[in-house]
């Protein structure tokens, strides 16, 4: 691992295929510029955590229901992540909206991937909502997280065409096609942010 590698904490809630893509690139490419220092989750028993453990990465679980209030959960999650002193935090299918303590602490360092072309179809059902709206193209968006829901500055987007047969399984196959593009996009973006640095000017993210 190059000494200059940027420290990244990845947050997951599910299958963790985006996490796996990051793990695989770190392992395959010593010049990638990223060290995954920990993987956090909001629930236990998920494939994402197993992937992290298989890769020998430290993991932690911070569940909302173990805390009296959402604010306490947010403070705990912030502290757990901060303990790893990350340069970047990546939400890779982390299905919780974090609070202000977290977004303030990791302002301009917290990256999310969303399975729709923002600002269209924010929220937890981006794939389904796009399909229901009748769009002919959708895709994925990698963006910095601000205090809104999927509203922060956009870093990169990938486009996926909708097929007529996507109606049949309520978007499951469409989501899989989006995730193929999304994994590549996320790996590319995280690497470029880590290696090149970046500036955020209003809504524009500049990566030299
Ligand atoms: C991704 O499509 C992400 O954008 C969405 O959930 C999916 C996570 O997939 N919020 P995985 O857990 O990385 O396989």
């Amino acid at each position: 691992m190059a000494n200059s590698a940027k420290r990244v904490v990845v947050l997951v809630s599910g299958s963790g295929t985006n996490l796996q893509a990051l793990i695989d690139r770190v392992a395959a490419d010593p010049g990638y510029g990223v060290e995954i220092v920990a993987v956090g989750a909001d629930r236990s028993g998920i494939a994402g955590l197993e992937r992290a453990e298989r890769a020998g990465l430290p993991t932690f679980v911070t569940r909302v229901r173990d805390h009296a209030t959402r604010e306490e959960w947010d403070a705990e999650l912030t502290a757990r992540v901060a303990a790893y002193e990350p340069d970047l935090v990546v939400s890779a299918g982390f299905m919780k909206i974090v609070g202000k303590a977290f977004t303030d602490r990791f302002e301009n360092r917290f990256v999310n991937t969303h399975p729709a072309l923002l600002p269209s179809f924010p929220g937890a059902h981006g794939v389904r909502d796009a399909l229901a709206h009748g769009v002919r193209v959708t895709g994925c968006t990698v963006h910095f997280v601000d205090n809104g829901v999927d509203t922060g500055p956009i870093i990169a987007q990938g486009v996926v065409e909708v097929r007529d047969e996507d109606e049949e399984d309520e978007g499951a196959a469409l989501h899989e096609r989006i995730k193929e593009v999304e994994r590549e996009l996320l790996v590319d973006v995280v690497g470029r942010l880590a290696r090149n640095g970046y500036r955020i000017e209003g809504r524009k993210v500049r990566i030299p």
Side-chain angles (χ1 to χ4, degrees):
M1 188 71 58
N3 283 337
S4 59
K6 293 288 186 271
R7 298 173 63 82
V8 174
V9 171
V10 183
L11 300 178
V12 293
S13 295
S15 63
T17 63
N18 280 284
L19 165 67
Q20 189 68 53
L22 289 164
I23 289 172
D24 291 348
R25 179 58 74 88
V26 169
D29 181 358
Y32 180 54
V34 167
E35 181 186 4
I36 302 173
V37 291
V39 174
D42 63 326
R43 62 198 78 181
S44 50
I46 54 171
L49 286 173
E50 282 168 28
R51 291 176 191 277
E53 278 153 22
R54 224 176 298 135
L57 299 171
T59 62
F60 60 89
V61 176
T62 309
R63 300 191 306 179
V64 171
R65 70 168 120 124
D66 294 335
H67 299 81
T69 64
R70 190 80 181 199
E71 287 68 31
E72 280 178 26
W73 170 78
D74 191 48
E76 171 71 11
L77 182 71
T78 304
R80 296 296 286 273
V81 173
Y84 290 99
E85 301 183 349
D87 298 297
L88 287 171
V89 182
V90 176
S91 158
F94 186 64
M95 299 305 286
K96 285 278 183 307
I97 311 279
V98 297
K100 199 169 152 28
F102 196 96
T103 50
D104 282 357
R105 176 72 182 244
F106 301 110
E107 190 181 10
N108 298 342
R109 287 186 290 153
F110 185 25
V111 173
N112 180 45
T113 176
H114 179 76
L117 293 174
L118 295 173
S120 292
F121 314 115
H125 306 292
V127 178
R128 205 171 73 191
D129 293 348
L131 194 60
H133 196 83
V135 298
R136 300 311 305 179
V137 291
T138 183
C140 49
T141 303
V142 179
H143 65 97
F144 282 106
V145 179
D146 63 10
N147 283 320
V149 177
D150 300 326
T151 51
I154 291 168
I155 310 168
Q157 295 184 299
V159 173
V160 174
E161 285 192 20
V162 178
R163 299 176 184 160
D164 291 339
E165 62 267 27
D166 286 329
E167 303 270 353
E168 288 161 22
D169 60 4
E170 287 160 3
L174 175 61
H175 196 178
E176 283 312 310
R177 297 204 306 285
I178 291 171
K179 283 174 66 168
E180 279 174 31
V181 175
E182 192 177 22
R183 288 190 283 266
E184 241 180 76
L185 191 74
L186 183 68
V187 168
D188 176 65
V189 164
V190 170
R192 286 194 293 124
L193 294 173
R195 291 188 305 274
N196 299 6
Y198 55 92
R199 291 192 320 276
I200 303 175
E201 296 168 353
R203 290 208 51 86
K204 305 286 167 61
V205 180
R206 317 273 188 207
I207 305 176

